[in-house]
Amino acid sequence: MEWTTLLQKAIDYMEAHMLEKINYEDVAGQVNMSGYNFHRTFSFMAGMTANEYIRNRRLSLAGQDLLATGQKVIDAAYKYGYDSPESFSKAFTRFHGVSPKMARIKGTQLRLFNPLVIKITLEGGLVMDYRMEEMKSQKFIALVREFSNEIINDEENHEIPDFWTECYGKKLVEPLRSLRPEGKKDLYGLCSPKKENETTFRYGIGIALDEDTGAFEESSLTAAGYQIWEAEPQTYVVFKCFGEDGSSISEMWGKFYKEFVPQMGYEAVDATDYEVYYENGEPGLFCELWIPVRRK
């Protein structure tokens, strides 16, 4: 399914069921995708998560209702899926900048959040460097933590950068880098595929285990909290991310879905994707992004 068709079908479903108890997992089922892949695809193509879209649309509609009908706040709260008037009021005030009670007063300024509309625009004409790699099974040893699926493409969330900062601050990275020879102390940011019915994904910071990795006692490292991470053989498309911070990674994911996938006939698969942070990278390179793909 082309991304424009997929996105439109998802939007149509959300709009038709806006007053029902739905989330991104329900929408994913309507477009025959895993929750993890849909969440990632929608967020990078739309610039927001599906849950964020639903929440903003509901609060926008609630504002229109309160202004037009003067209905009770408690009725609006339950209509738009909130458990209590208090939780609704907090969310409403964050979104509109005024309380629900104020919204019923003529002349109060409210925020409008319209449905997404897909428009076909002229794109391309720009250089997008990539390479394809066939990878055999690969093992890593890493520090691993679970994160909520909903943090993907959330610009206000810094949990993964904070995880990197924490690992460096506690000197947890150096025991891994010490196992690698000079010039090959590259670090990997590993991202697990989503498992059925899970609302979290695993992210790991580690090194590759190969012929260049020094000898180590696995039981000692695992006892210290490190884990062995195994990646199955995959075809990868590789992009270079240039920039000062992780925003370059988000930008490249967006280009992958909007430019690479429609033109090249590939799609992302549920497998380990990762960033490679080279010890001796080229000037301006933040990392390489390795995305597992297959022919449609």
Side-chain angles (χ1 to χ4, degrees), residues 174-189:
E174 283 311 310
L176 297 179
R177 289 170 60 92
S178 67
L179 298 175
R180 303 287 297 176
E182 291 297 326
K184 295 185 178 181
K185 297 180 183 293
D186 309 327
L187 290 176
Y188 291 75

Side-chain angles (χ1 to χ4, degrees), residues 9 12 27 29 77 97 121 128 131-132 149 192 240 245 259 271:
K9 186 175 180 180
D12 291 345
V27 186
T121 59
M128 185 180 187
R131 72 178 189 270
M132 304 300 298
N149 291 339
S192 70
K240 294 181 178 181
D245 53 39
E259 299 178 33

Side-chain angles (χ1 to χ4, degrees), residues 250-261:
S250 297
E251 290 171 7
M252 190 55 71
W253 271 108
K255 290 181 179 180
F256 168 74
Y257 283 114
K258 294 178 181 179
E259 299 178 33
F260 182 84
V261 169

Side-chain angles (χ1 to χ4, degrees), residues 144-147 190-193 200-204 227-229:
V144 182
R145 185 170 294 176
E146 290 196 356
F147 297 91
L190 306 161
C191 190
S192 70
T200 60
F201 67 95
R202 295 187 307 141
Y203 184 87
Q227 297 181 29
I228 300 296
W229 185 305

Side-chain angles (χ1 to χ4, degrees), residues 19-22 58-59 73-92 94:
L19 301 184
E20 300 174 21
K21 191 174 183 179
I22 60 169
R58 286 172 174 169
L59 291 170
V73 174
I74 189 172
D75 293 335
Y78 293 136
K79 177 179 180 180
Y80 289 100
Y82 286 83
D83 296 328
S84 69
E86 291 75 21
S87 61
F88 171 70
S89 293
K90 288 180 180 178
F92 189 96
R94 282 196 301 270

Side-chain angles (χ1 to χ4, degrees), residues 86-105:
E86 291 75 21
S87 61
F88 171 70
S89 293
K90 288 180 180 178
F92 189 96
T93 302
R94 282 196 301 270
F95 180 80
H96 287 283
V98 297
S99 69
K101 289 183 178 179
M102 285 292 296
R104 295 187 297 178
I105 300 173

Side-chain angles (χ1 to χ4, degrees), residues 7-35:
L7 188 59
Q8 187 61 64
K9 186 175 180 180
I11 292 167
D12 291 345
Y13 178 80
M14 287 186 280
E15 290 296 326
H17 299 81
M18 192 59 66
L19 301 184
E20 300 174 21
K21 191 174 183 179
I22 60 169
N23 59 28
Y24 74 91
E25 292 278 5
D26 302 307
V27 186
Q30 298 299 311
V31 292
N32 300 314
M33 293 181 70
S34 70

Side-chain angles (χ1 to χ4, degrees), residues 1-14 27 31 33 38 41-48 50 53 116-119 258:
M1 184 182 296
E2 292 295 334
W3 74 263
T4 51
T5 304
L6 179 149
L7 188 59
Q8 187 61 64
K9 186 175 180 180
I11 292 167
D12 291 345
Y13 178 80
M14 287 186 280
V27 186
V31 292
M33 293 181 70
F38 171 73
T41 303
F42 185 92
S43 66
F44 282 115
M45 291 196 296
M48 70 190 79
Y53 176 79
L116 281 170
V117 176
I118 296 176
K119 295 182 179 179
K258 294 178 181 179

